[in-house]
Amino acid sequence: MAIEQPATRPANPRFSSGPCAKIPTFTLDKLSDAALGRSHRAAVGKDKLKAAIEGTREILGIPADYKIGIVPASDTGAVEMAMWSLLGERKAEMLAWESFGSGWVTDVVKQLKLDAEVKTAEYGEIVDLASVDCNNDVVFTWNGTTSGVRVPNGDWIADDREGLTICDATSAAFAMDLPWDKLDVTTFSWQKVLGGEAAHGMLILSPRAVERLESYTPAWPMPKIFRLTKGGKLIEGIFRGETINTPSMLAVEDYLVALDWARSVGGLQGLIGRANANTKAIADFVELHDWIDFLAHDPATVSNTSVCLKFTDERIKDGAAFAKSVAKRMEAEGAALDIGAYRDAPAGLRIWCGGTVETSDIEAMLPWLEWAFQAEIEAQA
Ligand SMILES: Cc1ncc(COP(=O)(O)O)c(C=O)c1O
């Protein structure tokens, strides 16, 4: 007999890993102060872009001597701009343990055709971080969004490194402590932990990354959209909000509103606490049920944003079909939207736990997971 449906549903069933749930207080009226219908280079637009940059610095605790720029093409744009602008001066070491990291490997090996050491691990695992040579330029993803595996900390990054670290932190920023002294290039997009809009990427450069930009010119042509220097000097304006091309001022307003909300919940530590509480609710559920487990093998690497789960019940005949059907049942009931595993990842579920998600919604969703699991076991039989 299938178990009864739970009596209540999450108030907000949006658990997608990007674009992620908007801030809990979001309404469209909150964007009414957007600087629309005029140049982003007018004083009002420039002020807002600058506020987006400085608000990012304040909440993430980014050192005053780091540069923060708003760049085109979301996180992908920011990562590719960094790789195309900085790599090639020395050997690259590429670390990947899921789909996005693998995409950066493809860029470097197949497109830039660089001399690179590639270290990969299967979904659920992480590469041997102790073996990384930080005298190479190291490219890695802080939180692997599609496997739910994150680096536990930055201790493996040498303080006296000669290479640069290029870190895709798109599903980590605003949910995890990022050690800025270990990160030379950090990227993220607004559509992730703060529930902002896609389209714009954030590019954060350490003084050493700036030094590389000013002392090294790659051998390949650089399209305008990637150009960070002019005449061998950093284009400083980009890091004051003079964007390379036209940004969406509606998306900028939305990000400013999200930053305000982040302040209201206690800034970075408040956001980390919210993500941890969400993840703990899932961990408690996993502990109590022997048919589900984290995809991440090492508890120290379990993400507190993109939490990836696998079904472990031996009665399941076709793992991929089973997981898809569970997600479909939950979506049809309005209990959870977009929680299927990423298309390239092993079969399972992925539940976003970043700070814009309310713990009460995770708690209200989990009984539906139990219901959907039991219903699917029965349907399969
Ligand atoms: C780790 C990681 N890198 C890059 C991206 C691509 O981000 P965007 O679509 O914002 O460029 C994603 C999106 O989910 C991601 O999770």
Side-chain angles (χ1 to χ4, degrees):
M1 279 286 288
I3 63 168
E4 244 181 69
Q5 284 194 341
T8 56
R9 287 173 169 74
N12 183 0
R14 290 177 169 78
F15 302 108
S16 163
S17 292
C20 302
K22 298 200 77 66
I23 57 171
T25 53
F26 182 78
T27 58
L28 281 171
D29 327 338
K30 289 219 152 60
L31 307 184
S32 60
D33 194 38
L36 304 182
R38 58 181 305 191
S39 170
H40 58 293
R41 301 197 194 276
V44 58
K46 271 195 187 165
D47 286 349
K48 284 184 183 286
L49 289 158
K50 194 154 182 275
I53 288 173
E54 292 313 320
T56 302
R57 188 187 308 281
E58 168 210 327
I59 293 172
L60 293 181
I62 299 171
D65 59 349
Y66 278 46
K67 305 281 181 188
I68 305 173
I70 299 169
V71 301
S74 211
D75 181 65
T76 309
V79 175
E80 293 192 331
M81 183 177 211
M83 294 196 301
W84 258 255
S85 300
L86 293 161
L87 294 183
E89 191 257 0
R90 63 184 59 228
K91 187 168 172 178
E93 193 160 327
M94 305 294 302
L95 314 183
W97 50 90
E98 50 79 64
S99 177
F100 286 102
S102 302
W104 309 143
V105 173
T106 302
D107 270 354
V108 166
V109 174
K110 297 221 167 113
Q111 298 295 324
L112 286 172
K113 301 187 169 54
L114 292 181
D115 173 24
E117 179 159 351
V118 178
K119 292 184 172 157
T120 59
E122 292 302 313
Y123 278 84
E125 302 279 4
I126 195 162
V127 299
D128 177 13
L129 296 170
S131 75
V132 174
D133 179 357
C134 294
N135 291 328
N136 296 326
D137 288 334
V138 179
V139 181
F140 72 103
T141 303
W142 193 277
N143 181 75
T145 319
T146 65
S147 69
V149 171
R150 63 171 164 180
V151 297
N153 53 53
D155 295 354
W156 51 281
I157 300 172
D159 289 328
D160 61 350
R161 63 192 175 280
E162 288 175 14
L164 299 177
T165 49
I166 298 180
C167 173
D168 172 359
T170 200
S171 54
F174 298 106
M176 303 175 200
D177 267 316
L178 297 173
W180 295 106
D181 57 329
K182 306 275 188 179
L183 304 177
D184 296 305
V185 178
T186 310
T187 68
F188 69 89
S189 78
W190 297 345
Q191 52 117 347
K192 284 282 191 288
V193 179
L194 287 191
E197 293 302 298
H200 302 301
M202 298 302 275
L203 178 69
I204 303 163
L205 304 176
S206 75
R208 293 183 62 245
V210 173
E211 197 182 297
R212 169 78 64 84
L213 283 170
E214 294 189 329
S215 62
Y216 161 72
T217 306
W220 44 83
M222 197 71 75
K224 175 179 171 180
I225 211 85
F226 276 7
R227 255 176 262 155
L228 290 167
T229 58
K230 190 171 177 196
K233 283 281 167 210
L234 189 75
I235 304 174
E236 294 277 354
I238 295 174
F239 303 93
R240 289 193 298 261
E242 295 159 23
T243 50
I244 297 172
N245 66 337
T246 313
S248 157
M249 295 309 292
L250 197 59
V252 170
E253 193 68 15
D254 181 72
Y255 183 59
L256 292 174
V257 167
L259 288 172
D260 270 342
W261 173 80
R263 287 182 190 100
S264 78
V265 296
L268 180 60
Q269 292 313 314
L271 291 167
I272 292 174
R274 289 174 65 90
N276 286 347
N278 290 339
T279 307
K280 180 168 185 307
I282 295 183
D284 291 347
F285 182 88
V286 166
E287 181 73 30
L288 279 176
H289 297 86
D290 59 5
W291 44 262
I292 194 156
D293 204 354
F294 291 107
L295 183 58
H297 297 168
D298 176 354
T301 66
V302 172
S303 172
N304 66 348
T305 56
S306 58
V307 174
C308 294
L309 301 168
K310 60 184 177 191
F311 293 106
T312 54
D313 193 298
E314 281 176 4
R315 291 170 293 175
I316 296 170
K317 291 175 186 135
D318 175 342
F322 186 90
K324 271 194 187 140
S325 299
V326 168
K328 207 167 146 195
R329 276 180 196 273
M330 291 177 72
E331 179 136 0
E333 291 295 340
L337 309 182
D338 303 325
I339 61 163
Y342 188 71
R343 58 182 185 270
D344 300 338
L349 301 177
R350 181 174 58 161
I351 299 166
W352 185 254
C353 284
T356 57
V357 171
E358 300 278 21
T359 306
S360 55
D361 286 335
I362 297 276
E363 287 166 349
M365 176 272 295
L366 289 168
W368 284 93
L369 174 52
E370 170 132 43
W371 166 80
F373 169 80
Q374 299 295 357
E376 201 49 42
I377 286 283
E378 193 153 295
Q380 183 198 250

